[in-house]
Amino acid sequence: MVEGAVPYPARIVPMLADDGVYLASESTFSRVLKAHGQTAHRGRAKAPKAVRPPTTHVTTAPRQVWCWDMTYLPAQVIGRWFFLYLILDLYSRKIVGWEVHDADHADHAAHLVRRTALVEGIAALGTKPVLHGDNGSTLKATTVLAMLNWLGVKPSYSRPRVSDDNAYAESLFRTAKYRPEFPAKGFADLDQARAWAAGFVHWYNFDHRHSGIRYVSPAQRHASDDHAILAARHALYLQARELNPARWSGKTRNWAPISTVTLNPERDSIIKTHLAGHDIQALAA
């Protein structure tokens, strides 16, 4: 009837049927096998493991969640690189810390997070920020972890071999490298790389109107100036509609401030239930 190793119920039932035998349904076979301990994985391949869901972070103000990462900046000499470290405030999108070095080393990362913590004044905060990064060895080094512990900053990491758990930082690097000022042939030296980075950070923080935060600058949102700016825009749109109502077929553009930003939401339904009444920020570059 059935030769060799016993197959699983989805095969047992049709194989028996081919022999003109019907004993029970697949679910009944599964229940009996489970009751007798015959459903354990016994193949040479590793048993499947549950995939760990991404860590979800929810922020409603600056200095609650930071994202950090490191990217390579090409030099004009083939095979040589400079290393740009950035810390991004998830809520405001402001670059709150950055450094460029000619080597990737944990000491550089530790120094950056300490300097950023001092500039942002987190010592006075009752709840310190969460610092989310990838699984790179530099960001998980003992030196860095010791510094984070001393500062009271809680580390958070992306899942192994998952490239989009730190999407905001990755999106920021893409924006940086597609700027027209980014040298196509690489940087001549470390000083040039640092000068370019300084110019980019200033443009991004103060001049860039970010699509993900209602087209205000990250610096304006970080300082909570976005509420007044967006309220003024809303009033202007209402005035324009009153002056020429024929040009408006519906409501004016939504200029309500984005009150909540999420990183790696596990399930939209859970996040929406938890944040009922808030305007949730969708991922945007």
Side-chain angles (χ1 to χ4, degrees), residues 148-184:
L148 295 179
N149 181 68
W150 182 72
L151 293 170
V153 174
K154 181 181 178 181
S156 169
Y157 299 105
S158 303
R159 294 169 296 173
R161 297 174 297 279
V162 177
S163 61
D164 60 352
D165 277 0
N166 198 14
Y168 290 95
E170 297 294 340
S171 177
L172 173 58
F173 286 145
R174 177 180 173 83
T175 300
K177 294 182 179 181
Y178 276 79
R179 289 291 299 162
E181 303 87 9
F182 191 84

PDB file of all heavy atoms in Angstrom, residues 148-184:
ATOM      1  N   LEU A 148      26.683  53.587  24.825  1.00  0.00           N
ATOM      2  CA  LEU A 148      25.222  53.685  24.864  1.00  0.00           C
ATOM      3  C   LEU A 148      24.695  53.421  26.271  1.00  0.00           C
ATOM      4  O   LEU A 148      23.781  54.109  26.746  1.00  0.00           O
ATOM      5  CB  LEU A 148      24.599  52.697  23.876  1.00  0.00           C
ATOM      6  CG  LEU A 148      24.870  52.940  22.387  1.00  0.00           C
ATOM      7  CD1 LEU A 148      24.209  51.853  21.543  1.00  0.00           C
ATOM      8  CD2 LEU A 148      24.380  54.316  21.961  1.00  0.00           C
ATOM      9  N   ASN A 149      25.274  52.452  26.930  1.00  0.00           N
ATOM     10  CA  ASN A 149      24.863  52.137  28.295  1.00  0.00           C
ATOM     11  C   ASN A 149      25.161  53.306  29.234  1.00  0.00           C
ATOM     12  O   ASN A 149      24.347  53.646  30.104  1.00  0.00           O
ATOM     13  CB  ASN A 149      25.580  50.878  28.771  1.00  0.00           C
ATOM     14  CG  ASN A 149      25.178  50.487  30.183  1.00  0.00           C
ATOM     15  OD1 ASN A 149      24.049  50.091  30.445  1.00  0.00           O
ATOM     16  ND2 ASN A 149      26.128  50.601  31.107  1.00  0.00           N
ATOM     17  N   TRP A 150      26.305  53.924  29.073  1.00  0.00           N
ATOM     18  CA  TRP A 150      26.680  55.067  29.907  1.00  0.00           C
ATOM     19  C   TRP A 150      25.740  56.244  29.671  1.00  0.00           C
ATOM     20  O   TRP A 150      25.384  56.971  30.615  1.00  0.00           O
ATOM     21  CB  TRP A 150      28.118  55.471  29.603  1.00  0.00           C
ATOM     22  CG  TRP A 150      28.612  56.611  30.440  1.00  0.00           C
ATOM     23  CD1 TRP A 150      28.923  56.595  31.768  1.00  0.00           C
ATOM     24  CD2 TRP A 150      28.838  57.961  29.994  1.00  0.00           C
ATOM     25  NE1 TRP A 150      29.337  57.849  32.182  1.00  0.00           N
ATOM     26  CE2 TRP A 150      29.294  58.700  31.116  1.00  0.00           C
ATOM     27  CE3 TRP A 150      28.720  58.604  28.772  1.00  0.00           C
ATOM     28  CZ2 TRP A 150      29.611  60.046  31.033  1.00  0.00           C
ATOM     29  CZ3 TRP A 150      29.030  59.956  28.688  1.00  0.00           C
ATOM     30  CH2 TRP A 150      29.468  60.662  29.817  1.00  0.00           C
ATOM     31  N   LEU A 151      25.286  56.421  28.422  1.00  0.00           N
ATOM     32  CA  LEU A 151      24.386  57.519  28.088  1.00  0.00           C
ATOM     33  C   LEU A 151      22.939  57.211  28.431  1.00  0.00           C
ATOM     34  O   LEU A 151      22.101  58.119  28.461  1.00  0.00           O
ATOM     35  CB  LEU A 151      24.491  57.840  26.587  1.00  0.00           C
ATOM     36  CG  LEU A 151      25.821  58.411  26.101  1.00  0.00           C
ATOM     37  CD1 LEU A 151      25.847  58.448  24.582  1.00  0.00           C
ATOM     38  CD2 LEU A 151      26.067  59.804  26.675  1.00  0.00           C
ATOM     39  N   GLY A 152      22.644  55.948  28.670  1.00  0.00           N
ATOM     40  CA  GLY A 152      21.262  55.553  28.928  1.00  0.00           C
ATOM     41  C   GLY A 152      20.443  55.361  27.674  1.00  0.00           C
ATOM     42  O   GLY A 152      19.208  55.288  27.728  1.00  0.00           O
ATOM     43  N   VAL A 153      21.117  55.265  26.520  1.00  0.00           N
ATOM     44  CA  VAL A 153      20.441  55.092  25.237  1.00  0.00           C
ATOM     45  C   VAL A 153      20.259  53.599  24.969  1.00  0.00           C
ATOM     46  O   VAL A 153      21.210  52.826  25.080  1.00  0.00           O
ATOM     47  CB  VAL A 153      21.253  55.742  24.097  1.00  0.00           C
ATOM     48  CG1 VAL A 153      20.620  55.444  22.741  1.00  0.00           C
ATOM     49  CG2 VAL A 153      21.366  57.247  24.324  1.00  0.00           C
ATOM     50  N   LYS A 154      19.055  53.217  24.608  1.00  0.00           N
ATOM     51  CA  LYS A 154      18.763  51.812  24.353  1.00  0.00           C
ATOM     52  C   LYS A 154      19.030  51.469  22.897  1.00  0.00           C
ATOM     53  O   LYS A 154      18.467  52.090  21.993  1.00  0.00           O
ATOM     54  CB  LYS A 154      17.301  51.494  24.689  1.00  0.00           C
ATOM     55  CG  LYS A 154      16.926  50.036  24.459  1.00  0.00           C
ATOM     56  CD  LYS A 154      15.469  49.789  24.774  1.00  0.00           C
ATOM     57  CE  LYS A 154      15.080  48.331  24.498  1.00  0.00           C
ATOM     58  NZ  LYS A 154      13.649  48.082  24.784  1.00  0.00           N
ATOM     59  N   PRO A 155      19.890  50.473  22.622  1.00  0.00           N
ATOM     60  CA  PRO A 155      20.145  50.102  21.227  1.00  0.00           C
ATOM     61  C   PRO A 155      19.039  49.228  20.656  1.00  0.00           C
ATOM     62  O   PRO A 155      18.374  48.474  21.371  1.00  0.00           O
ATOM     63  CB  PRO A 155      21.468  49.324  21.318  1.00  0.00           C
ATOM     64  CG  PRO A 155      21.456  48.731  22.697  1.00  0.00           C
ATOM     65  CD  PRO A 155      20.730  49.725  23.570  1.00  0.00           C
ATOM     66  N   SER A 156      18.822  49.340  19.366  1.00  0.00           N
ATOM     67  CA  SER A 156      17.861  48.519  18.641  1.00  0.00           C
ATOM     68  C   SER A 156      18.501  48.165  17.303  1.00  0.00           C
ATOM     69  O   SER A 156      19.204  48.995  16.711  1.00  0.00           O
ATOM     70  CB  SER A 156      16.549  49.280  18.422  1.00  0.00           C
ATOM     71  OG  SER A 156      15.701  48.604  17.520  1.00  0.00           O
ATOM     72  N   TYR A 157      18.262  46.945  16.824  1.00  0.00           N
ATOM     73  CA  TYR A 157      18.945  46.491  15.620  1.00  0.00           C
ATOM     74  C   TYR A 157      17.971  45.903  14.608  1.00  0.00           C
ATOM     75  O   TYR A 157      16.929  45.341  14.968  1.00  0.00           O
ATOM     76  CB  TYR A 157      20.004  45.439  15.963  1.00  0.00           C
ATOM     77  CG  TYR A 157      21.079  45.960  16.881  1.00  0.00           C
ATOM     78  CD1 TYR A 157      21.098  45.607  18.223  1.00  0.00           C
ATOM     79  CD2 TYR A 157      22.050  46.836  16.416  1.00  0.00           C
ATOM     80  CE1 TYR A 157      22.068  46.096  19.077  1.00  0.00           C
ATOM     81  CE2 TYR A 157      23.020  47.335  17.265  1.00  0.00           C
ATOM     82  CZ  TYR A 157      23.035  46.960  18.592  1.00  0.00           C
ATOM     83  OH  TYR A 157      23.993  47.452  19.436  1.00  0.00           O
ATOM     84  N   SER A 158      18.337  46.045  13.344  1.00  0.00           N
ATOM     85  CA  SER A 158      17.576  45.418  12.273  1.00  0.00           C
ATOM     86  C   SER A 158      17.733  43.910  12.345  1.00  0.00           C
ATOM     87  O   SER A 158      18.679  43.389  12.950  1.00  0.00           O
ATOM     88  CB  SER A 158      18.071  45.916  10.906  1.00  0.00           C
ATOM     89  OG  SER A 158      17.996  47.319  10.816  1.00  0.00           O
ATOM     90  N   ARG A 159      16.824  43.202  11.700  1.00  0.00           N
ATOM     91  CA  ARG A 159      16.941  41.748  11.637  1.00  0.00           C
ATOM     92  C   ARG A 159      18.093  41.361  10.726  1.00  0.00           C
ATOM     93  O   ARG A 159      18.393  42.067   9.752  1.00  0.00           O
ATOM     94  CB  ARG A 159      15.641  41.136  11.106  1.00  0.00           C
ATOM     95  CG  ARG A 159      14.452  41.310  12.016  1.00  0.00           C
ATOM     96  CD  ARG A 159      13.165  40.927  11.310  1.00  0.00           C
ATOM     97  NE  ARG A 159      12.899  41.819  10.188  1.00  0.00           N
ATOM     98  CZ  ARG A 159      11.913  41.630   9.321  1.00  0.00           C
ATOM     99  NH1 ARG A 159      11.108  40.594   9.444  1.00  0.00           N
ATOM    100  NH2 ARG A 159      11.729  42.484   8.326  1.00  0.00           N
ATOM    101  N   PRO A 160      18.779  40.251  11.011  1.00  0.00           N
ATOM    102  CA  PRO A 160      19.880  39.807  10.153  1.00  0.00           C
ATOM    103  C   PRO A 160      19.416  39.578   8.721  1.00  0.00           C
ATOM    104  O   PRO A 160      18.343  39.020   8.483  1.00  0.00           O
ATOM    105  CB  PRO A 160      20.338  38.493  10.808  1.00  0.00           C
ATOM    106  CG  PRO A 160      19.879  38.587  12.221  1.00  0.00           C
ATOM    107  CD  PRO A 160      18.599  39.380  12.179  1.00  0.00           C
ATOM    108  N   ARG A 161      20.223  40.039   7.776  1.00  0.00           N
ATOM    109  CA  ARG A 161      19.998  39.825   6.345  1.00  0.00           C
ATOM    110  C   ARG A 161      18.685  40.432   5.852  1.00  0.00           C
ATOM    111  O   ARG A 161      18.121  39.995   4.861  1.00  0.00           O
ATOM    112  CB  ARG A 161      20.047  38.327   5.995  1.00  0.00           C
ATOM    113  CG  ARG A 161      21.401  37.701   6.262  1.00  0.00           C
ATOM    114  CD  ARG A 161      21.368  36.204   6.035  1.00  0.00           C
ATOM    115  NE  ARG A 161      20.465  35.536   6.958  1.00  0.00           N
ATOM    116  CZ  ARG A 161      20.779  35.226   8.218  1.00  0.00           C
ATOM    117  NH1 ARG A 161      21.979  35.533   8.700  1.00  0.00           N
ATOM    118  NH2 ARG A 161      19.919  34.613   8.996  1.00  0.00           N
ATOM    119  N   VAL A 162      18.206  41.455   6.538  1.00  0.00           N
ATOM    120  CA  VAL A 162      17.026  42.189   6.096  1.00  0.00           C
ATOM    121  C   VAL A 162      17.450  43.633   5.853  1.00  0.00           C
ATOM    122  O   VAL A 162      17.920  44.310   6.759  1.00  0.00           O
ATOM    123  CB  VAL A 162      15.888  42.132   7.142  1.00  0.00           C
ATOM    124  CG1 VAL A 162      14.695  42.963   6.671  1.00  0.00           C
ATOM    125  CG2 VAL A 162      15.460  40.687   7.369  1.00  0.00           C
ATOM    126  N   SER A 163      17.281  44.089   4.615  1.00  0.00           N
ATOM    127  CA  SER A 163      17.857  45.378   4.228  1.00  0.00           C
ATOM    128  C   SER A 163      16.944  46.568   4.475  1.00  0.00           C
ATOM    129  O   SER A 163      17.389  47.711   4.375  1.00  0.00           O
ATOM    130  CB  SER A 163      18.230  45.343   2.739  1.00  0.00           C
ATOM    131  OG  SER A 163      17.072  45.110   1.946  1.00  0.00           O
ATOM    132  N   ASP A 164      15.657  46.348   4.749  1.00  0.00           N
ATOM    133  CA  ASP A 164      14.736  47.479   4.845  1.00  0.00           C
ATOM    134  C   ASP A 164      14.205  47.732   6.244  1.00  0.00           C
ATOM    135  O   ASP A 164      13.185  48.389   6.418  1.00  0.00           O
ATOM    136  CB  ASP A 164      13.566  47.285   3.875  1.00  0.00           C
ATOM    137  CG  ASP A 164      12.767  46.020   4.161  1.00  0.00           C
ATOM    138  OD1 ASP A 164      13.215  45.224   5.007  1.00  0.00           O
ATOM    139  OD2 ASP A 164      11.708  45.832   3.524  1.00  0.00           O
ATOM    140  N   ASP A 165      14.879  47.203   7.281  1.00  0.00           N
ATOM    141  CA  ASP A 165      14.452  47.472   8.655  1.00  0.00           C
ATOM    142  C   ASP A 165      14.955  48.825   9.149  1.00  0.00           C
ATOM    143  O   ASP A 165      14.601  49.255  10.231  1.00  0.00           O
ATOM    144  CB  ASP A 165      14.944  46.367   9.595  1.00  0.00           C
ATOM    145  CG  ASP A 165      14.025  45.151   9.588  1.00  0.00           C
ATOM    146  OD1 ASP A 165      13.016  45.183   8.852  1.00  0.00           O
ATOM    147  OD2 ASP A 165      14.310  44.176  10.292  1.00  0.00           O
ATOM    148  N   ASN A 166      15.813  49.463   8.367  1.00  0.00           N
ATOM    149  CA  ASN A 166      16.318  50.788   8.727  1.00  0.00           C
ATOM    150  C   ASN A 166      16.099  51.711   7.536  1.00  0.00           C
ATOM    151  O   ASN A 166      17.008  52.391   7.072  1.00  0.00           O
ATOM    152  CB  ASN A 166      17.801  50.706   9.104  1.00  0.00           C
ATOM    153  CG  ASN A 166      18.267  51.922   9.894  1.00  0.00           C
ATOM    154  OD1 ASN A 166      17.469  52.706  10.393  1.00  0.00           O
ATOM    155  ND2 ASN A 166      19.577  52.086   9.998  1.00  0.00           N
ATOM    156  N   ALA A 167      14.858  51.719   7.059  1.00  0.00           N
ATOM    157  CA  ALA A 167      14.550  52.332   5.767  1.00  0.00           C
ATOM    158  C   ALA A 167      14.793  53.833   5.736  1.00  0.00           C
ATOM    159  O   ALA A 167      15.179  54.379   4.702  1.00  0.00           O
ATOM    160  CB  ALA A 167      13.098  52.036   5.399  1.00  0.00           C
ATOM    161  N   TYR A 168      14.578  54.531   6.841  1.00  0.00           N
ATOM    162  CA  TYR A 168      14.747  55.982   6.834  1.00  0.00           C
ATOM    163  C   TYR A 168      16.208  56.373   6.624  1.00  0.00           C
ATOM    164  O   TYR A 168      16.508  57.312   5.892  1.00  0.00           O
ATOM    165  CB  TYR A 168      14.212  56.580   8.132  1.00  0.00           C
ATOM    166  CG  TYR A 168      12.709  56.509   8.243  1.00  0.00           C
ATOM    167  CD1 TYR A 168      12.084  55.462   8.912  1.00  0.00           C
ATOM    168  CD2 TYR A 168      11.903  57.489   7.674  1.00  0.00           C
ATOM    169  CE1 TYR A 168      10.699  55.399   9.014  1.00  0.00           C
ATOM    170  CE2 TYR A 168      10.521  57.443   7.762  1.00  0.00           C
ATOM    171  CZ  TYR A 168       9.928  56.379   8.438  1.00  0.00           C
ATOM    172  OH  TYR A 168       8.564  56.312   8.524  1.00  0.00           O
ATOM    173  N   ALA A 169      17.107  55.648   7.267  1.00  0.00           N
ATOM    174  CA  ALA A 169      18.527  55.932   7.081  1.00  0.00           C
ATOM    175  C   ALA A 169      18.967  55.606   5.662  1.00  0.00           C
ATOM    176  O   ALA A 169      19.728  56.352   5.034  1.00  0.00           O
ATOM    177  CB  ALA A 169      19.359  55.145   8.098  1.00  0.00           C
ATOM    178  N   GLU A 170      18.489  54.472   5.144  1.00  0.00           N
ATOM    179  CA  GLU A 170      18.843  54.092   3.775  1.00  0.00           C
ATOM    180  C   GLU A 170      18.307  55.117   2.780  1.00  0.00           C
ATOM    181  O   GLU A 170      18.967  55.460   1.798  1.00  0.00           O
ATOM    182  CB  GLU A 170      18.282  52.701   3.460  1.00  0.00           C
ATOM    183  CG  GLU A 170      18.850  51.576   4.312  1.00  0.00           C
ATOM    184  CD  GLU A 170      20.330  51.341   4.068  1.00  0.00           C
ATOM    185  OE1 GLU A 170      20.830  51.762   3.001  1.00  0.00           O
ATOM    186  OE2 GLU A 170      20.989  50.766   4.948  1.00  0.00           O
ATOM    187  N   SER A 171      17.099  55.602   3.005  1.00  0.00           N
ATOM    188  CA  SER A 171      16.518  56.605   2.127  1.00  0.00           C
ATOM    189  C   SER A 171      17.324  57.901   2.174  1.00  0.00           C
ATOM    190  O   SER A 171      17.519  58.567   1.150  1.00  0.00           O
ATOM    191  CB  SER A 171      15.071  56.874   2.536  1.00  0.00           C
ATOM    192  OG  SER A 171      14.505  57.900   1.737  1.00  0.00           O
ATOM    193  N   LEU A 172      17.807  58.258   3.359  1.00  0.00           N
ATOM    194  CA  LEU A 172      18.622  59.463   3.504  1.00  0.00           C
ATOM    195  C   LEU A 172      19.916  59.341   2.700  1.00  0.00           C
ATOM    196  O   LEU A 172      20.326  60.288   2.012  1.00  0.00           O
ATOM    197  CB  LEU A 172      18.938  59.705   4.978  1.00  0.00           C
ATOM    198  CG  LEU A 172      19.913  60.830   5.295  1.00  0.00           C
ATOM    199  CD1 LEU A 172      19.417  62.157   4.745  1.00  0.00           C
ATOM    200  CD2 LEU A 172      20.136  60.927   6.794  1.00  0.00           C
ATOM    201  N   PHE A 173      20.563  58.187   2.759  1.00  0.00           N
ATOM    202  CA  PHE A 173      21.806  57.999   2.005  1.00  0.00           C
ATOM    203  C   PHE A 173      21.550  58.082   0.502  1.00  0.00           C
ATOM    204  O   PHE A 173      22.380  58.598  -0.254  1.00  0.00           O
ATOM    205  CB  PHE A 173      22.444  56.658   2.359  1.00  0.00           C
ATOM    206  CG  PHE A 173      23.097  56.644   3.715  1.00  0.00           C
ATOM    207  CD1 PHE A 173      23.083  55.500   4.499  1.00  0.00           C
ATOM    208  CD2 PHE A 173      23.733  57.769   4.206  1.00  0.00           C
ATOM    209  CE1 PHE A 173      23.687  55.482   5.742  1.00  0.00           C
ATOM    210  CE2 PHE A 173      24.341  57.766   5.451  1.00  0.00           C
ATOM    211  CZ  PHE A 173      24.319  56.619   6.221  1.00  0.00           C
ATOM    212  N   ARG A 174      20.418  57.566   0.059  1.00  0.00           N
ATOM    213  CA  ARG A 174      20.088  57.662  -1.363  1.00  0.00           C
ATOM    214  C   ARG A 174      19.922  59.128  -1.768  1.00  0.00           C
ATOM    215  O   ARG A 174      20.406  59.548  -2.825  1.00  0.00           O
ATOM    216  CB  ARG A 174      18.807  56.879  -1.657  1.00  0.00           C
ATOM    217  CG  ARG A 174      18.353  56.979  -3.112  1.00  0.00           C
ATOM    218  CD  ARG A 174      17.079  56.187  -3.357  1.00  0.00           C
ATOM    219  NE  ARG A 174      16.551  56.407  -4.700  1.00  0.00           N
ATOM    220  CZ  ARG A 174      16.956  55.781  -5.775  1.00  0.00           C
ATOM    221  NH1 ARG A 174      17.930  54.878  -5.689  1.00  0.00           N
ATOM    222  NH2 ARG A 174      16.427  56.041  -6.958  1.00  0.00           N
ATOM    223  N   THR A 175      19.222  59.898  -0.930  1.00  0.00           N
ATOM    224  CA  THR A 175      19.064  61.320  -1.210  1.00  0.00           C
ATOM    225  C   THR A 175      20.418  62.003  -1.301  1.00  0.00           C
ATOM    226  O   THR A 175      20.664  62.818  -2.204  1.00  0.00           O
ATOM    227  CB  THR A 175      18.222  61.988  -0.113  1.00  0.00           C
ATOM    228  OG1 THR A 175      16.922  61.380  -0.069  1.00  0.00           O
ATOM    229  CG2 THR A 175      18.070  63.482  -0.363  1.00  0.00           C
ATOM    230  N   ALA A 176      21.322  61.660  -0.393  1.00  0.00           N
ATOM    231  CA  ALA A 176      22.642  62.290  -0.371  1.00  0.00           C
ATOM    232  C   ALA A 176      23.431  62.003  -1.645  1.00  0.00           C
ATOM    233  O   ALA A 176      24.013  62.904  -2.257  1.00  0.00           O
ATOM    234  CB  ALA A 176      23.423  61.799   0.850  1.00  0.00           C
ATOM    235  N   LYS A 177      23.427  60.750  -2.076  1.00  0.00           N
ATOM    236  CA  LYS A 177      24.273  60.358  -3.206  1.00  0.00           C
ATOM    237  C   LYS A 177      23.688  60.733  -4.561  1.00  0.00           C
ATOM    238  O   LYS A 177      24.375  60.625  -5.573  1.00  0.00           O
ATOM    239  CB  LYS A 177      24.547  58.859  -3.132  1.00  0.00           C
ATOM    240  CG  LYS A 177      25.396  58.490  -1.920  1.00  0.00           C
ATOM    241  CD  LYS A 177      25.717  57.014  -1.847  1.00  0.00           C
ATOM    242  CE  LYS A 177      26.580  56.716  -0.620  1.00  0.00           C
ATOM    243  NZ  LYS A 177      26.931  55.272  -0.524  1.00  0.00           N
ATOM    244  N   TYR A 178      22.429  61.174  -4.572  1.00  0.00           N
ATOM    245  CA  TYR A 178      21.832  61.637  -5.822  1.00  0.00           C
ATOM    246  C   TYR A 178      21.796  63.161  -5.906  1.00  0.00           C
ATOM    247  O   TYR A 178      21.226  63.705  -6.849  1.00  0.00           O
ATOM    248  CB  TYR A 178      20.414  61.070  -5.972  1.00  0.00           C
ATOM    249  CG  TYR A 178      20.403  59.680  -6.565  1.00  0.00           C
ATOM    250  CD1 TYR A 178      20.687  58.572  -5.780  1.00  0.00           C
ATOM    251  CD2 TYR A 178      20.142  59.470  -7.919  1.00  0.00           C
ATOM    252  CE1 TYR A 178      20.699  57.290  -6.312  1.00  0.00           C
ATOM    253  CE2 TYR A 178      20.140  58.196  -8.473  1.00  0.00           C
ATOM    254  CZ  TYR A 178      20.416  57.110  -7.661  1.00  0.00           C
ATOM    255  OH  TYR A 178      20.431  55.837  -8.190  1.00  0.00           O
ATOM    256  N   ARG A 179      22.406  63.829  -4.943  1.00  0.00           N
ATOM    257  CA  ARG A 179      22.518  65.274  -5.014  1.00  0.00           C
ATOM    258  C   ARG A 179      23.490  65.652  -6.129  1.00  0.00           C
ATOM    259  O   ARG A 179      24.487  64.965  -6.364  1.00  0.00           O
ATOM    260  CB  ARG A 179      23.014  65.840  -3.678  1.00  0.00           C
ATOM    261  CG  ARG A 179      21.998  65.760  -2.550  1.00  0.00           C
ATOM    262  CD  ARG A 179      20.837  66.712  -2.791  1.00  0.00           C
ATOM    263  NE  ARG A 179      21.290  68.102  -2.868  1.00  0.00           N
ATOM    264  CZ  ARG A 179      20.563  69.079  -3.396  1.00  0.00           C
ATOM    265  NH1 ARG A 179      19.389  68.831  -3.921  1.00  0.00           N
ATOM    266  NH2 ARG A 179      21.017  70.312  -3.411  1.00  0.00           N
ATOM    267  N   PRO A 180      23.222  66.764  -6.850  1.00  0.00           N
ATOM    268  CA  PRO A 180      24.125  67.145  -7.949  1.00  0.00           C
ATOM    269  C   PRO A 180      25.534  67.484  -7.493  1.00  0.00           C
ATOM    270  O   PRO A 180      26.485  67.404  -8.278  1.00  0.00           O
ATOM    271  CB  PRO A 180      23.424  68.372  -8.565  1.00  0.00           C
ATOM    272  CG  PRO A 180      22.507  68.884  -7.498  1.00  0.00           C
ATOM    273  CD  PRO A 180      22.066  67.671  -6.738  1.00  0.00           C
ATOM    274  N   GLU A 181      25.682  67.835  -6.186  1.00  0.00           N
ATOM    275  CA  GLU A 181      27.024  68.176  -5.691  1.00  0.00           C
ATOM    276  C   GLU A 181      27.878  66.936  -5.401  1.00  0.00           C
ATOM    277  O   GLU A 181      29.076  67.065  -5.157  1.00  0.00           O
ATOM    278  CB  GLU A 181      26.916  69.008  -4.407  1.00  0.00           C
ATOM    279  CG  GLU A 181      26.105  70.291  -4.547  1.00  0.00           C
ATOM    280  CD  GLU A 181      24.625  70.064  -4.325  1.00  0.00           C
ATOM    281  OE1 GLU A 181      24.262  68.938  -3.900  1.00  0.00           O
ATOM    282  OE2 GLU A 181      23.814  70.983  -4.603  1.00  0.00           O
ATOM    283  N   PHE A 182      27.245  65.773  -5.403  1.00  0.00           N
ATOM    284  CA  PHE A 182      27.999  64.559  -5.086  1.00  0.00           C
ATOM    285  C   PHE A 182      28.950  64.255  -6.241  1.00  0.00           C
ATOM    286  O   PHE A 182      28.520  64.095  -7.384  1.00  0.00           O
ATOM    287  CB  PHE A 182      27.050  63.379  -4.873  1.00  0.00           C
ATOM    288  CG  PHE A 182      27.719  62.163  -4.291  1.00  0.00           C
ATOM    289  CD1 PHE A 182      27.903  62.037  -2.925  1.00  0.00           C
ATOM    290  CD2 PHE A 182      28.179  61.141  -5.115  1.00  0.00           C
ATOM    291  CE1 PHE A 182      28.512  60.919  -2.384  1.00  0.00           C
ATOM    292  CE2 PHE A 182      28.791  60.028  -4.588  1.00  0.00           C
ATOM    293  CZ  PHE A 182      28.963  59.909  -3.218  1.00  0.00           C
ATOM    294  N   PRO A 183      30.261  64.176  -5.985  1.00  0.00           N
ATOM    295  CA  PRO A 183      31.236  64.011  -7.074  1.00  0.00           C
ATOM    296  C   PRO A 183      31.157  62.626  -7.720  1.00  0.00           C
ATOM    297  O   PRO A 183      31.317  61.611  -7.044  1.00  0.00           O
ATOM    298  CB  PRO A 183      32.586  64.222  -6.370  1.00  0.00           C
ATOM    299  CG  PRO A 183      32.328  63.869  -4.944  1.00  0.00           C
ATOM    300  CD  PRO A 183      30.910  64.257  -4.664  1.00  0.00           C
ATOM    301  N   ALA A 184      30.923  62.599  -9.012  1.00  0.00           N
ATOM    302  CA  ALA A 184      30.785  61.327  -9.725  1.00  0.00           C
ATOM    303  C   ALA A 184      32.087  60.536  -9.739  1.00  0.00           C
ATOM    304  O   ALA A 184      32.075  59.306  -9.785  1.00  0.00           O
ATOM    305  CB  ALA A 184      30.318  61.586 -11.153  1.00  0.00           C
TER     306      ALA A 184
END
